[in-house]
Amino acid sequence: MDQWARLLRRSKEKTKEGLQRLQPWAWTLKRIGGQFGAGTESYFSLLRFLLLLNLLASVLMACMTLLPTWLEGAPPGPPGLNTSSPCGFYNPHSQGLVTFDTQLFNLLSGEGYLEWSPLFYGFYPPRPHLAVTYLCWAFAVGLICLLFILHRSVAPAPLTP
């Protein structure tokens, strides 16, 4: 029994060491701490944590909005010429030569080719509770981020020899 406890403790320590080696910029942060002090090191460590938290939130939001659309099948394209619409016909793809200024404006305003891409809200097919889904996932990702922040602020700082 004692042998299993030692083996479990060793495997936990090895796993912890392996995870610490995978942390990005760990050596750089250690060097910053050695040159400029622990306060500066903790500041950059916080920035690293916030960057990783932002990446996690972005990946979660992208997965939760794109995954249901991809599972439903091919998304709809722009409306055809014969489609009757209260707004009339609209072709998001401009014909002929388009200037760089127009392309940049379309990119920043979400017009043109972006209107029928997954980045645009109107791209998604009508689903019964799409707006509620967006709000729930935004709330869920915010809650997950809050839990990570609380966990980081409550967790004891690792002791470095």
Side-chain angles (χ1 to χ4, degrees):
M1 189 68 174
D2 190 37
Q3 180 184 6
W4 288 106
R6 271 188 278 144
L7 185 62
L8 184 63
R9 188 173 57 241
R10 282 188 201 149
S11 64
K12 279 185 182 179
E13 290 172 1
K14 294 274 186 189
T15 305
K16 223 180 245 188
E17 287 176 17
L19 288 175
Q20 285 179 350
R21 286 184 188 149
L22 289 177
Q23 285 184 345
W25 310 297
W27 173 248
T28 307
L29 286 176
K30 231 177 213 183
R31 210 172 75 202
I32 287 173
Q35 291 178 351
F36 301 106
T40 307
E41 179 185 1
S42 66
Y43 172 74
F44 283 107
S45 176
L46 175 70
L47 287 180
R48 177 183 66 183
F49 170 72
L50 291 177
L51 176 71
L52 293 176
L53 194 65
N54 197 4
L55 286 174
L56 174 74
S58 299
V59 167
L60 280 175
M61 286 300 285
C63 286
M64 294 309 140
T65 54
L66 293 177
L67 197 61
T69 303
W70 288 339
L71 291 176
E72 285 179 358
L81 291 171
N82 299 332
T83 307
S84 64
S85 170
C87 299
F89 174 71
Y90 171 67
N91 183 10
H93 306 290
S94 55
Q95 304 295 325
L97 184 63
V98 180
T99 63
F100 177 75
D101 298 339
T102 306
Q103 286 183 350
L104 183 64
F105 182 74
N106 286 345
L107 177 70
L108 296 176
S109 64
E111 295 178 357
Y113 54 88
L114 282 180
E115 287 186 68
W116 295 101
S117 75
L119 298 174
F120 187 64
Y121 182 79
F123 166 81
Y124 300 104
R127 290 194 306 228
H129 302 292
L130 184 63
V132 175
T133 306
Y134 270 93
L135 288 174
C136 287
W137 277 112
F139 178 73
V141 167
L143 187 65
I144 290 170
C145 290
L146 176 68
L147 290 175
F148 275 127
I149 289 170
L150 289 175
H151 177 71
R152 179 180 161 83
S153 64
V154 172
L159 297 174
T160 55

